[in-house]
């Protein structure tokens, strides 16, 4: 059962604050989802942990699927999603963080974007997602990197209680009987970095800083292309993966 302290912490999370910030991030998250799902045309989709509906907004604009459903732990998020009146969104519900209120194999695809890092019992949630969907698309931030020991309070302030690399997420998913279909890494774009610096952190705008951020981004992209997937994963800020459930039972011992 979900820790009630966790549930209470998110109840009023989605207010009018940070709307522009969430929408900017959601634009890129939605594009990552579309990119890894390009081999399929899902008809019925469920987003679990849908927040305030920012990703749903873009998926609706892109006509990603004719029927989209949403679950969110925070009542404030559910209200925000309903206020959007998105054409493809058919139903929005509050849930307890683990129990999906739909029958087995109800959906072609479940979206779990920047949620797993917040979940106490990640394997329990993954097993429930497998029960109700044929495919899952999951995106997590790549928090686990150099200096992480000194940044624990930083991550906790964002509600991140799990940390992943592409390798550790793949291991988690494969060990739960899921097969990887497609994946990709992504690097925070200059648009997002500069918004965070200038708006969220109130750093004074500077042409030199803007140029530096853009050059650093281009350098990372170039290095990733030159040195391949492993280097791209080392440089990444997020990892997106599409998986499907299999009939294989995981054998331990």
């Amino acid at each position: 059962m979900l820790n009630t302290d966790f549930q209470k912490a998110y109840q009023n999370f989605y207010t009018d604050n940070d709307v522009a910030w969430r929408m900017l991030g959601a634009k890129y998250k939605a594009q990552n989802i579309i990119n890894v799902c390009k081999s399929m045309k899902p008809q019925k989709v469920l987003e679990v942990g849908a927040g305030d509906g920012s990703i749903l907004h873009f998926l609706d604009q892109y006509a990603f699927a004719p029927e989209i459903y949403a679950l969110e732990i925070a009542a404030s998020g559910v209200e925000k999603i309903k206020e959007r009146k998105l054409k493809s969104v058919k139903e929005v519900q509050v849930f307890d963080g683990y129990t999906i209120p739909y029958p087995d194999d109800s959906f072609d695809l479940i979206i779990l974007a920047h949620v797993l890092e917040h979940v106490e019992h990640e394997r329990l949630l993954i097993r429930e997602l497998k029960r109700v969907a044929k495919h899952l698309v999951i995106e997590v931030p790549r928090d686990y990197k150099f200096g992480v020991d000194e940044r624990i309070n930083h991550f906790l302030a964002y509600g991140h209680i799990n940390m992943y690399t592409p390798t550790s997420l793949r291991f988690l998913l494969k060990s739960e009987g899921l097969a990887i279909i497609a994946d990709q890494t992504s690097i925070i774009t200059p648009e997002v970095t500069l918004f965070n610096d200038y708006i969220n952190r109130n750093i004074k705008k500077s042409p030199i800083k803007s140029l530096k951020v853009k050059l650093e981004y281009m350098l990372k992209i170039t290095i990733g292309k030159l040195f391949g997937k492993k280097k791209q994963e080392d440089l990444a800020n997020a990892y997106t993966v599409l998986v499907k459930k299999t009939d294989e039972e995981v054998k331990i011992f």
Side-chain angles (χ1 to χ4, degrees), residues 134-138 173 178-181 241-245:
K134 302 177 181 69
H135 299 83
L136 315 176
V137 59
I138 297 174
L173 297 174
L178 293 160
I180 293 171
I181 300 173
V241 58
L242 173 66
V243 296
K244 65 178 180 180
K245 64 180 178 182

Side-chain angles (χ1 to χ4, degrees), residues 11 13 54 56 69 91 109 125 149 166 169 172 212 237 252:
Q11 283 313 300
F13 186 77
S54 299
L56 293 172
Y69 297 73
E91 186 173 57
L109 176 71
L125 177 59
D149 286 335
L169 181 62
L172 172 63
K212 181 182 177 183
N237 296 110
I252 302 175

Side-chain angles (χ1 to χ4, degrees), residues 86-248:
L86 302 174
K87 182 180 178 181
S88 60
V89 176
K90 306 305 179 184
E91 186 173 57
V92 187
Q93 297 184 62
V94 175
F95 83 129
D96 67 4
Y98 292 99
T99 307
I100 308 298
Y102 294 103
D104 294 359
D105 297 319
S106 294
F107 298 95
D108 301 313
L109 176 71
I110 283 181
I111 296 167
L112 196 74
H114 292 257
V115 173
L116 206 57
E117 66 271 19
H118 299 269
V119 177
E120 267 190 292
H121 308 293
E122 54 198 334
R123 289 180 182 273
L124 295 182
L125 177 59
I126 289 170
R127 291 167 194 170
E128 181 70 346
L129 302 182
K130 279 178 59 180
R131 181 184 66 78
V132 297
K134 302 177 181 69
H135 299 83
L136 315 176
V137 59
I138 297 174
E139 181 170 299
V140 295
R142 187 183 176 276
D143 287 340
Y144 194 89
K145 57 182 71 175
F146 182 78
V148 70
D149 286 335
E150 287 74 41
R151 303 184 71 205
I152 291 175
N153 290 335
H154 167 80
F155 292 119
L156 291 177
Y158 285 94
H160 293 194
I161 59 173
N162 302 310
M163 293 186 177
Y164 303 97
T165 65
T167 297
S168 67
L169 181 62
R170 286 193 293 265
F171 179 86
L172 172 63
L173 297 174
K174 288 179 180 180
S175 69
E176 285 296 330
L178 293 160
I180 293 171
I181 300 173
D183 65 348
Q184 72 165 47
T185 55
S186 52
I187 296 173
I188 294 175
T189 66
E191 181 184 17
V192 174
T193 300
L194 293 171
F195 184 99
N196 187 44
D197 286 346
Y198 294 155
I199 306 300
N200 291 346
R201 298 171 63 194
N202 293 316
I203 294 175
K204 186 177 180 180
K205 289 187 178 182
S206 162
I208 295 175
K209 178 173 178 56
S210 296
L211 179 61
K212 181 182 177 183
V213 168
K214 292 173 183 177
L215 288 175
E216 287 177 349
Y217 174 78
M218 291 171 61
L219 179 61
K220 288 181 180 179
I221 295 294
T222 302
I223 290 173
K225 288 180 178 178
L226 288 174
F227 292 95
K229 185 173 182 178
K230 179 62 172 67
K231 179 55 67 175
Q232 291 169 11
E233 293 186 352
D234 289 342
L235 296 171
N237 296 110
Y239 179 61
T240 316
V241 58
L242 173 66
V243 296
K244 65 178 180 180
K245 64 180 178 182
T246 67
D247 294 329
E248 294 181 15

